[in-house]
Amino acid sequence: LMVNLESLNMLDLDYRMIELFRHPVDTLYSWWKGGWGKRFSNDPRAFSLTLVYNNELVPWYCAGHEEEWLPLNPMERCLHTGLDIIQRLVKQYQKAGSPDYIHILTFEDFLEQPNEELAKICSFLGTATTDLTQHFIHKQRCPQVLDIKGRERKLDEFKNSVSAELLDKLVTMSKEYETNLYGLKK
């Protein structure tokens, strides 16, 4: 939703948004494993708006990049799309001047310290946890320790299947994520 923040703000609504980031290697690997590099043209359960370009379906966020996106292999499509979306939402957030009505958190922080992150979310929303909160945290096996070696394995798979240009972009954005969440940390 934050990719379209400028348009959303034109509606002049009073809202709160929670934007959850996850390491780009983990996110884009998950997209690829979920088939999102090819599902748009053949899966009626694909939930994203599609556009027709030269008699082929492409996801809405590829508008203007269709000729670039269509010849890519499924893994490259996930990287191309995901990295573009990340860049666009970061620009939208920065353009809005780091608004107070958006709470940013990371998947990794939530995984490792769910109670602390839930306290921040509750404060942001003006709500409280319930008696069942701890049950659901435990059910999701949280807190957890991150599996960094798994991320390295995923990156190796990308190395063997994507262009050098996309791989370089992924590595650069991964470093930006790891050092300062794309420059978004306050």
Side-chain angles (χ1 to χ4, degrees), residues 34-50 57-61:
W36 289 109
K38 58 186 173 186
R39 287 177 64 181
F40 294 102
S41 59
N42 61 10
D43 186 347
R45 293 177 301 149
F47 56 84
S48 192
L49 177 66
T50 56
L57 291 177
V58 296
W60 70 268
Y61 36 76

CSV table of all heavy atoms in Angstrom, one decimal, residues 34-50 57-61:
chain,number,residue,atom,x,y,z
A,34,GLY,N,7.1,-19.2,-4.2
A,34,GLY,CA,5.6,-19.2,-4.3
A,34,GLY,C,5.1,-19.1,-5.7
A,34,GLY,O,3.9,-19.1,-5.9
A,35,GLY,N,6.0,-19.0,-6.7
A,35,GLY,CA,5.7,-19.0,-8.1
A,35,GLY,C,5.3,-17.7,-8.6
A,35,GLY,O,4.7,-17.6,-9.7
A,36,TRP,N,5.6,-16.6,-7.9
A,36,TRP,CA,5.2,-15.3,-8.3
A,36,TRP,C,5.9,-14.7,-9.5
A,36,TRP,O,5.5,-13.7,-10.0
A,36,TRP,CB,5.2,-14.3,-7.2
A,36,TRP,CG,4.1,-14.6,-6.2
A,36,TRP,CD1,4.2,-15.2,-5.0
A,36,TRP,CD2,2.7,-14.6,-6.5
A,36,TRP,NE1,3.0,-15.4,-4.4
A,36,TRP,CE2,2.0,-15.1,-5.3
A,36,TRP,CE3,1.9,-14.1,-7.5
A,36,TRP,CZ2,0.6,-15.1,-5.2
A,36,TRP,CZ3,0.5,-14.2,-7.5
A,36,TRP,CH2,-0.1,-14.7,-6.3
A,37,GLY,N,6.8,-15.5,-10.1
A,37,GLY,CA,7.5,-15.0,-11.3
A,37,GLY,C,6.7,-15.5,-12.5
A,37,GLY,O,7.0,-15.0,-13.7
A,38,LYS,N,5.7,-16.3,-12.3
A,38,LYS,CA,4.9,-16.8,-13.5
A,38,LYS,C,3.4,-17.0,-13.2
A,38,LYS,O,2.7,-17.2,-14.2
A,38,LYS,CB,5.5,-18.1,-14.0
A,38,LYS,CG,5.5,-19.2,-13.0
A,38,LYS,CD,6.3,-20.5,-13.5
A,38,LYS,CE,6.4,-21.5,-12.4
A,38,LYS,NZ,7.2,-22.6,-12.8
A,39,ARG,N,3.0,-16.9,-12.0
A,39,ARG,CA,1.6,-17.1,-11.7
A,39,ARG,C,0.6,-16.2,-12.3
A,39,ARG,O,-0.6,-16.5,-12.4
A,39,ARG,CB,1.4,-17.2,-10.2
A,39,ARG,CG,2.0,-18.4,-9.5
A,39,ARG,CD,1.8,-18.3,-8.0
A,39,ARG,NE,0.4,-18.4,-7.6
A,39,ARG,CZ,0.0,-18.3,-6.4
A,39,ARG,NH1,0.9,-18.3,-5.4
A,39,ARG,NH2,-1.2,-18.4,-6.1
A,40,PHE,N,1.0,-15.0,-12.6
A,40,PHE,CA,0.0,-14.0,-13.1
A,40,PHE,C,-0.7,-14.4,-14.4
A,40,PHE,O,-1.8,-14.0,-14.6
A,40,PHE,CB,0.7,-12.6,-13.3
A,40,PHE,CG,1.2,-12.1,-12.0
A,40,PHE,CD1,2.5,-12.1,-11.6
A,40,PHE,CD2,0.3,-11.5,-11.1
A,40,PHE,CE1,2.9,-11.6,-10.4
A,40,PHE,CE2,0.7,-11.0,-9.9
A,40,PHE,CZ,2.0,-11.1,-9.5
A,41,SER,N,-0.1,-15.1,-15.2
A,41,SER,CA,-0.7,-15.5,-16.5
A,41,SER,C,-1.5,-16.7,-16.4
A,41,SER,O,-2.2,-17.0,-17.4
A,41,SER,CB,0.4,-15.6,-17.6
A,41,SER,OG,1.4,-16.6,-17.2
A,42,ASN,N,-1.3,-17.5,-15.4
A,42,ASN,CA,-2.0,-18.8,-15.4
A,42,ASN,C,-2.7,-19.3,-14.1
A,42,ASN,O,-3.1,-20.4,-14.0
A,42,ASN,CB,-1.0,-19.9,-15.8
A,42,ASN,CG,0.2,-20.1,-14.9
A,42,ASN,OD1,0.2,-19.5,-13.8
A,42,ASN,ND2,1.2,-20.8,-15.3
A,43,ASP,N,-2.7,-18.4,-13.1
A,43,ASP,CA,-3.3,-18.8,-11.8
A,43,ASP,C,-4.5,-17.9,-11.5
A,43,ASP,O,-4.3,-16.7,-11.2
A,43,ASP,CB,-2.3,-18.6,-10.7
A,43,ASP,CG,-2.7,-19.2,-9.4
A,43,ASP,OD1,-4.0,-19.4,-9.2
A,43,ASP,OD2,-1.9,-19.3,-8.5
A,44,PRO,N,-5.7,-18.4,-11.5
A,44,PRO,CA,-6.9,-17.6,-11.2
A,44,PRO,C,-6.9,-17.1,-9.8
A,44,PRO,O,-7.7,-16.2,-9.4
A,44,PRO,CB,-8.1,-18.6,-11.5
A,44,PRO,CG,-7.5,-19.9,-11.5
A,44,PRO,CD,-6.1,-19.8,-11.8
A,45,ARG,N,-6.1,-17.7,-8.9
A,45,ARG,CA,-6.0,-17.3,-7.5
A,45,ARG,C,-5.0,-16.2,-7.3
A,45,ARG,O,-4.9,-15.7,-6.2
A,45,ARG,CB,-5.7,-18.5,-6.6
A,45,ARG,CG,-6.8,-19.5,-6.6
A,45,ARG,CD,-6.4,-20.7,-5.8
A,45,ARG,NE,-5.2,-21.3,-6.3
A,45,ARG,CZ,-4.2,-21.9,-5.6
A,45,ARG,NH1,-4.4,-22.1,-4.4
A,45,ARG,NH2,-3.2,-22.4,-6.2
A,46,ALA,N,-4.3,-15.8,-8.3
A,46,ALA,CA,-3.4,-14.6,-8.2
A,46,ALA,C,-4.2,-13.4,-7.8
A,46,ALA,O,-5.2,-13.1,-8.5
A,46,ALA,CB,-2.6,-14.4,-9.4
A,47,PHE,N,-3.9,-12.8,-6.7
A,47,PHE,CA,-4.8,-11.7,-6.2
A,47,PHE,C,-4.5,-10.3,-6.6
A,47,PHE,O,-5.1,-9.4,-6.1
A,47,PHE,CB,-4.8,-11.8,-4.6
A,47,PHE,CG,-3.4,-11.8,-4.1
A,47,PHE,CD1,-2.8,-10.5,-3.8
A,47,PHE,CD2,-2.7,-12.9,-3.8
A,47,PHE,CE1,-1.6,-10.5,-3.3
A,47,PHE,CE2,-1.5,-12.9,-3.2
A,47,PHE,CZ,-0.9,-11.6,-3.0
A,48,SER,N,-3.5,-10.1,-7.4
A,48,SER,CA,-3.1,-8.8,-7.8
A,48,SER,C,-3.7,-8.4,-9.1
A,48,SER,O,-3.9,-9.2,-10.0
A,48,SER,CB,-1.5,-8.7,-7.9
A,48,SER,OG,-1.1,-7.4,-7.9
A,49,LEU,N,-3.9,-7.1,-9.2
A,49,LEU,CA,-4.5,-6.6,-10.5
A,49,LEU,C,-3.5,-6.8,-11.6
A,49,LEU,O,-2.3,-6.7,-11.4
A,49,LEU,CB,-4.7,-5.1,-10.3
A,49,LEU,CG,-5.2,-4.3,-11.5
A,49,LEU,CD1,-6.6,-4.7,-11.9
A,49,LEU,CD2,-5.2,-2.8,-11.2
A,50,THR,N,-4.0,-7.3,-12.7
A,50,THR,CA,-3.1,-7.5,-13.9
A,50,THR,C,-3.5,-6.6,-15.0
A,50,THR,O,-4.6,-6.1,-15.1
A,50,THR,CB,-3.1,-9.0,-14.4
A,50,THR,OG1,-4.5,-9.3,-14.6
A,50,THR,CG2,-2.5,-9.9,-13.3
A,57,LEU,N,-0.6,-11.2,-19.7
A,57,LEU,CA,-0.9,-10.6,-18.4
A,57,LEU,C,0.4,-10.3,-17.7
A,57,LEU,O,1.3,-11.1,-17.6
A,57,LEU,CB,-1.8,-11.5,-17.6
A,57,LEU,CG,-3.2,-11.8,-18.1
A,57,LEU,CD1,-3.9,-12.8,-17.1
A,57,LEU,CD2,-4.0,-10.5,-18.1
A,58,VAL,N,0.4,-9.1,-17.2
A,58,VAL,CA,1.5,-8.6,-16.3
A,58,VAL,C,0.9,-8.0,-15.1
A,58,VAL,O,-0.1,-7.4,-15.1
A,58,VAL,CB,2.5,-7.7,-17.1
A,58,VAL,CG1,3.2,-8.3,-18.2
A,58,VAL,CG2,1.8,-6.4,-17.5
A,59,PRO,N,1.6,-8.1,-13.9
A,59,PRO,CA,1.1,-7.4,-12.7
A,59,PRO,C,1.1,-5.9,-12.9
A,59,PRO,O,2.0,-5.3,-13.6
A,59,PRO,CB,2.1,-7.9,-11.6
A,59,PRO,CG,3.2,-8.5,-12.3
A,59,PRO,CD,2.9,-8.8,-13.7
A,60,TRP,N,0.2,-5.3,-12.2
A,60,TRP,CA,0.0,-3.8,-12.3
A,60,TRP,C,1.3,-3.0,-12.0
A,60,TRP,O,1.5,-2.0,-12.7
A,60,TRP,CB,-1.1,-3.3,-11.4
A,60,TRP,CG,-0.8,-3.4,-9.9
A,60,TRP,CD1,-1.0,-4.4,-9.1
A,60,TRP,CD2,-0.1,-2.4,-9.2
A,60,TRP,NE1,-0.5,-4.1,-7.8
A,60,TRP,CE2,0.0,-2.9,-7.8
A,60,TRP,CE3,0.4,-1.1,-9.4
A,60,TRP,CZ2,0.6,-2.2,-6.8
A,60,TRP,CZ3,1.0,-0.4,-8.4
A,60,TRP,CH2,1.1,-0.9,-7.1
A,61,TYR,N,2.1,-3.5,-11.1
A,61,TYR,CA,3.3,-2.8,-10.8
A,61,TYR,C,4.4,-2.9,-11.8
A,61,TYR,O,5.5,-2.3,-11.6
A,61,TYR,CB,3.8,-3.1,-9.4
A,61,TYR,CG,3.7,-4.6,-9.0
A,61,TYR,CD1,4.5,-5.6,-9.5
A,61,TYR,CD2,2.6,-5.0,-8.2
A,61,TYR,CE1,4.4,-6.9,-9.2
A,61,TYR,CE2,2.5,-6.3,-7.8
A,61,TYR,CZ,3.4,-7.3,-8.3
A,61,TYR,OH,3.2,-8.6,-8.0
